[in-house]
Amino acid sequence: MRPQAAHRATLTALTALAPVSWGTTYAVTTEFLPPDRPLFTGLLRALPAGLLLLALARVLPRGAWWWKSVVLGALNIGAFFPLLFLSAYRLPGGMAAVVGSVGPLFVVGLSALLLGQRPSPRTLLTGIAAAFGVSLVVLQAAGALDALGVLAAFASTASMSAGTVLTKRWGRPEGVGPLALTGWQLTAGGLLIAPLAVLVEGAPPALDGRAVGGYLYLALANTAVAYWLWFRGIGRLTATQVTFLGPLSPLTAAVVGWAALGQALTPVQLAGMALAFGATVAGQIGPRRKPSGPEAVRGTSGGPVLGSPGRKDPRELKGGSGQGVTGQGVTGQGLTGPALRR
């Protein structure tokens, strides 16, 4: 394997740890946490993790990044967490997961709306295959559905998808790493959740040892580390590649249910897992790009044709951050050919 390909595979694998970790959220929520506290749970998941990352990064937003951090924090954390836990509390575990698996299609649609990017047929078919595969895994025993829970699940997926597109669109300020960017968003999102949690749910519930352990896991491994890996991946991979890692979350939830909760897996579910995993792998393969710039106009002698335009490094388009909208950013191998989200 070439060094560049090996580096990309390692980066993809590390980014994939985020949705794998998020796949344990359902089991932790139902087995360890106090019931019917989606806002309090979202608050304890976001704010301590954000403050910890801020203390480690020691960097605060500047200029326009104050309001950008609030917007991203609201989409990726402040709205997403409460809606996610509301759907987890009100729906069978599998139904919330299958709604989340349509995230790639949400990202494709939002990219067409916000960025003017036309999706390729292969991207659409891969997204449909992923959602169908996840549905085979998790809808076997869905039972009666709660309308509010379904609405919350769709809204949480839409919120995270919009956050993924804008995170890729805006990139990061020059000299700011993913640790600081993650801390900004988690802190902003947690602060947005805090007043709602007090107004809607009142005083915090009494916590036993299991609940404390569950919240520590959600705040540290499931949020601080996982979101740092996720935003790091968004900065270095295309939005399409990142969002197609999302189906790993419900697949992990199914495996955890089988291994830890004694839930059986049928042949149909195993086939769905194979289909969803295959779609996840296919989503990591970017479209072939035709040569452009100097490479497209070289003469037979190997030199560039006189007067041929050069192609700028995409990093120049965003002050060295490599997060531009052209080149290798959104239009290169990204959304033309979107997370869990969850």
Side-chain angles (χ1 to χ4, degrees), residues 71-72 75 106-119 158-170 325 330-331 335:
V71 172
L72 293 177
L75 292 172
F106 272 64
V107 170
V108 168
L110 289 170
S111 300
L113 179 65
L114 300 177
L115 304 176
Q117 305 301 320
R118 297 180 59 186
S159 179
M160 185 67 167
S161 299
T164 298
V165 173
L166 287 180
T167 300
K168 188 65 181 179
R169 172 67 178 86
W170 288 338
V325 182
V330 175
T331 59
L335 304 172

Side-chain angles (χ1 to χ4, degrees), residues 91 94-103 106 134 150 152-157 342:
L91 292 177
M95 185 60 200
V98 76
V99 174
S101 71
V102 303
F106 272 64
V134 171
V150 173
F154 272 107
S156 68
T157 302
R342 175 161 332 281

Side-chain angles (χ1 to χ4, degrees), residues 101 104-105 121-135 244 275 279:
S101 71
L105 298 177
R122 194 195 74 170
T123 300
L124 293 173
L125 289 175
T126 304
I128 293 171
F132 180 68
V134 171
S135 70
F244 269 108
L275 178 60

Side-chain angles (χ1 to χ4, degrees), residues 138-157:
V138 301
L139 290 184
Q140 294 294 306
L145 298 181
D146 179 270
L148 180 59
V150 173
L151 181 62
F154 272 107
S156 68
T157 302

